[in-house]
Amino acid sequence: MRSLRTTSYAVRSPHGFRAASAVVVTAALLALAGCTSDRGAVEPLGDDPEVTTSRDLTVFAAASLQRPFEELGRIFEDAHPGVTVRFSFGGSSGLVAQLAEGAPGDVLATANEPTMADAVKDSLVAGDPKPFASNTLQVVVPADNPAGVRTLADLAKPGTQVVLCAPAVPCGAASAALEKAAGVDIRPVSEEQSVTDVLGKVRSGEADAGLVYVTDVASAGSEVTGIDVPEAAAVVNTYPIAALRDAADAGLAAEFVALVTGTEGGEVLADAGFRAP
Amino acid sequence: MTLPLHLRVGVDARDVDVDLTVAAGETLALLGPNGAGKSTVLAAAAGLVTPDSGTVRLGDRTLSDATTHAWVPPHRRGIALLAQDARLFPHLSALDNVAFGPTASGEGRAAARERAAHWLAEVGMTAYERRRPRELSGGQAQRVAIARALATEPDVLLVDEPLAALDVESAPDVRDLLRRVTHDRTTVLVTHDVLDAALLADRVAVMHEGRVVEEGETGRVLSRPTSDFGARFAGLNLVRGVASAGDLRMPDGRLLHGIAETHLVDGAPASAVVSPSAVSVHLEPPHGSPRNSLDATVTDLEPHGQLVRVRTDLLSADITPPAVADLGLRRGSAVVLSVKATEVHLHPA
Amino acid sequence: MTSLALPRWLLVPAALGTLFVGLPVVAMALSVDWGSFGSLVTSDASTDALLLSLRTAAVSTMLCLLLGIPLAVVLARTSGTAATLLRSVVLVPLVIPPVVGGIALLQAFGRRGLLGSTLEVAGLQVAFSTTAVVIAQTFVAMPFLVLSLEGALRTAGTRFEEVAATLGAAPTTVFRRVTLPLALPGLVSGTILAFARCLGEFGATITFAGSLQGTTRTLPLEIYLQRESDPRAAVALSLVLVAVAVLVIGLTRARREPVGGVVS
């Protein structure tokens, strides 16, 4: 019969204990060091006289900016040999929280102004943020539109499975504002964490309709259809951008901000469905 | 109720192929070394392995038939199995262990417990009925296991090395109990201990490599085995040869004088059975006139109870440790074995 | 009792390991705003989420038992390629990210999934319902129960089952009175693991079931959402979740002691 009793182990006290622990700790530290970035490291690139340094530019940007910003990143890299633009895309408030905790970054672009205001309040930003794009909400339905949605008011019809962003996140706040402006009371079957979650649920046909940004509809292609909502003009979401105070290379950060707010940036953003601020 | 059991089974994976009949109320001992297939035979009888060939019959019921694929599952066979380890259910008290069989076959809880109490009393374990198996000694556990098997009132009792795991103190008691309970029950007893066979079995079947090599009445097999393995288990010397004028001519041409119990035909195969205790060991040919005085070489020395068993290339002898020391015996020693003709039992092979 | 010497240096990584696991929980407890803790965790949204979590985790654990026990028995008592294949299938939820599990569930039970339209015809609306939460939790938690129980069953072996059969017990009786009691410690720990996994399930739920207060927004989803608006509430709720998990483990352990030894 085997009992549940466990064998007890007594601790021997041989030498070499301290040495072994030192090895373990050192190994752990080395492993951690290997995980950190070599951001800002300057290393000679060999015999190319044009390029003497390799630099990173880290951009924190709202998830909805992913497609146009990746293209702008390529344009920026072409114009600045030796520079690698790295992106951290995510929910705006999460990005600001990360920066406040000390995450290293050079540029911040958020999906709305209140979040950028938080970053300014935390003294994360160098100079004044510049608005560079705006976005409005659209009703999104699956391509076959199974619930026959035509207007925003249709979303309030019983039996229509609508998903919205949760009021706690920016797109949810915008949705609530739109409902108020249009005098519609939508009862969603789910309040999602992010606008991409809303889009995903509509895209897969789980939901009959949702409220997302025009740019999200554009990015989803032919799988979904966007329906314009006249009242949405009253709920415009403005995207600000700013160089960060702790930027490793303030000049480079400013140049990226200039690219985004300039003509070339405007064109790329317009292609993705964004409007001018 | 007790019924005859007929086993004619082949199990290919274990290379077992036997044909055994146990008469109603009889106890058959299956003797053999580890791996001889004894436990496989029991498992086939109990329905725990499916034979590839043959039939198992209990009375006029066919329990399994490989050709017709007839099959009675273990729980409907009325065959109880006692294993080497008691295998009491660890989560049940001694009483509930014994009551398990009756409850499983549909008896009410109270009646089952009453029956269990009766059988615990039969094996002298009433005082321990509330104990959990882990609180019982090996011998006590084996007693409870016996009561548990008997409480199902089986038609056949299968007993697999019941004493092997017990210490020397408790083995005799349990053996005695087994003798009582197997007395008038159809029983198949697997053992490699000749004492179990001698005390418990009416008949003995010796197994080797999946086959029965010798079968017969216990007294006969243990005193006059006709197979090497039978002799080995009986602890006897078996010498084969041919009959020659009332004696045995061994393959090397030497003659072994003995007493024939039946008439031996000259030139016919015959064998001699000699107890190791009847063989004495000398360094020189002994004085006097033992009829048999044979040169041999020591191959092994091993303890055997209070004595030392001296194995040679011819016969084994049991002598005292001082004698071994006096003779300075070791492997390879040349010795002269002597044995009286009256101690050499000759019979046709 | 044997007293075997343990290399002393092992203690250092062991202590580091303990610290690594324990420190975040301690740090979280320290960062809780105790002054407002009560009001943070008793808000409507919080209590709804906690109750929903407990309710769905309980139902999902029952489902895990209902489906997982037979599965574990089959796995423990069979061998060969079919069994190996079956085991790999059953363990899939354990090795895939929960989000992927959620996507897979959508393909099966979603409105446009394999069974979705059939279910809808049968009047069963899975999408965005509490049922979807239970499905997601059962999906991710069942392997824990199956693995744990299968191990216990294999350790217990078939020796006692064979004896029980020769004592006249039919297969169902053997299963009920011998197999399960002997595997009880494994079953209990498997159930605890499964319940804890259900309670903590996030990825598959948010992907498959959505997030609506009182219907599909379980405690982990509520915590993740609160992070956006009120990080203090997120920390407070996280602590509640830890406390519930510890409580469940503690209660089951305390009840489990009298069961005693396992025979091998």
Side-chain angles (χ1 to χ4, degrees), chain B residues 41-291:
Chain B
V41 173
L42 288 198
L48 300 176
V49 304
T50 316
D52 299 294
S53 59
T55 55
V56 177
R57 298 175 60 82
L58 177 63
D60 20 325
R61 283 169 79 205
T62 299
L63 300 184
S64 79
D65 187 331
T67 40
T68 64
H69 297 287
W71 177 256
V72 176
H75 65 280
R76 296 213 196 97
R77 292 197 171 197
I79 294 182
L81 176 69
L82 272 174
Q84 175 175 340
D85 49 334
R87 291 196 203 176
L88 296 181
F89 303 123
H91 56 293
L92 298 179
S93 69
L95 186 71
D96 286 339
N97 260 282
V98 181
F100 182 91
T103 335
S105 45
E107 203 160 334
R109 198 175 163 77
R113 289 196 151 205
E114 201 170 306
R115 186 191 296 275
H118 163 75
W119 282 105
L120 276 180
E122 282 289 303
V123 301
M125 288 294 292
T126 303
Y128 299 88
E129 64 174 33
R130 285 171 188 284
R131 296 268 184 102
R132 288 294 175 102
R134 62 168 175 274
E135 297 163 338
L136 298 174
S137 73
Q140 291 167 340
Q142 199 58 273
R143 283 169 173 275
V144 174
I146 291 168
R148 180 176 67 174
L150 296 178
T152 64
E153 296 184 344
D155 296 321
V156 173
L157 197 57
L158 304 176
V159 190
D160 193 353
E161 305 265 8
L163 308 170
L166 299 184
D167 50 50
V168 261
E169 281 82 41
S170 47
D173 283 350
V174 175
R175 187 185 288 115
D176 198 49
L177 174 64
L178 274 175
R179 185 165 56 174
R180 232 165 8 98
V181 304
T182 61
H183 176 65
D184 51 1
R185 278 189 171 78
T186 310
T187 306
V188 182
L189 167 79
V190 158
T191 183
H192 58 238
D193 184 346
V194 69
L195 196 56
D196 291 348
L199 293 174
L200 300 171
D202 302 307
R203 279 193 312 122
V204 168
V206 181
M207 282 189 71
H208 177 64
E209 292 182 348
R211 305 292 183 277
V212 174
V213 292
E214 178 165 9
E215 192 181 349
E217 186 250 322
T218 307
R220 204 280 295 158
V221 173
L222 295 188
S223 59
R224 277 149 295 158
T226 54
S227 68
D228 292 331
F229 290 99
R232 187 179 300 170
F233 278 97
L236 298 174
N237 291 300
L238 181 76
V239 185
R240 294 171 187 285
V242 290
S244 172
D247 292 325
L248 183 82
R249 184 163 303 280
M250 295 186 286
D252 61 9
R254 288 186 288 181
L255 216 53
L256 191 59
H257 305 287
I259 297 184
E261 305 195 349
T262 52
H263 177 67
L264 294 175
V265 181
D266 267 12
S271 51
V273 175
V274 183
S275 167
S277 58
V279 181
S280 52
V281 181
H282 313 270
L283 294 177
E284 303 288 336
H287 303 294
S289 59
R291 288 288 304 278

Side-chain angles (χ1 to χ4, degrees), chain A residues 1-2, chain B residues 85, chain C residues 155-156 159-160 262-264:
Chain A
M1 183 178 292
R2 194 190 77 191
Chain B
D85 49 334
Chain C
T155 310
R159 303 153 63 248
F160 292 102
V262 195
V263 166
S264 60

Side-chain angles (χ1 to χ4, degrees), chain A residues 1-14 16-17 20-21 24-25 28 91 93-94 142-146 159 161 163 166-170 188-193 197 201-208, chain C residues 1-13 16 106 109-113 125 127-128 155 185 202 205-213 215-217 221 224-229 256-257 260-264:
Chain A
M1 183 178 292
R2 194 190 77 191
S3 76
L4 281 176
R5 184 186 64 194
T6 52
T7 310
S8 89
Y9 287 90
V11 173
R12 226 162 19 113
S13 53
F17 158 69
S21 60
V24 170
V25 170
S93 34
D144 58 353
N145 196 0
Q161 305 239 31
V163 286
V169 297
V189 292
S190 181
E191 294 174 341
E192 300 292 329
Q193 195 76 31
D197 289 335
K201 292 229 156 55
V202 174
R203 212 173 184 167
S204 66
E206 279 308 293
D208 297 324
Chain C
M1 187 173 275
T2 47
S3 192
L4 204 68
L6 186 76
R8 190 171 164 174
W9 58 265
L10 264 182
L11 283 190
V12 175
L16 278 177
L106 274 179
F109 302 105
R111 283 170 92 187
R112 299 192 175 178
Q125 173 76 269
F128 306 113
T155 310
F202 174 77
T205 310
I206 204 162
T207 316
F208 176 58
S211 171
L212 190 68
Q213 184 178 336
T215 307
T216 52
R217 188 175 295 151
L221 269 64
Y224 196 65
L225 186 63
Q226 290 287 357
R227 252 183 73 244
E228 292 282 341
S229 54
R256 170 185 166 185
E257 288 309 329
V262 195
V263 166
S264 60

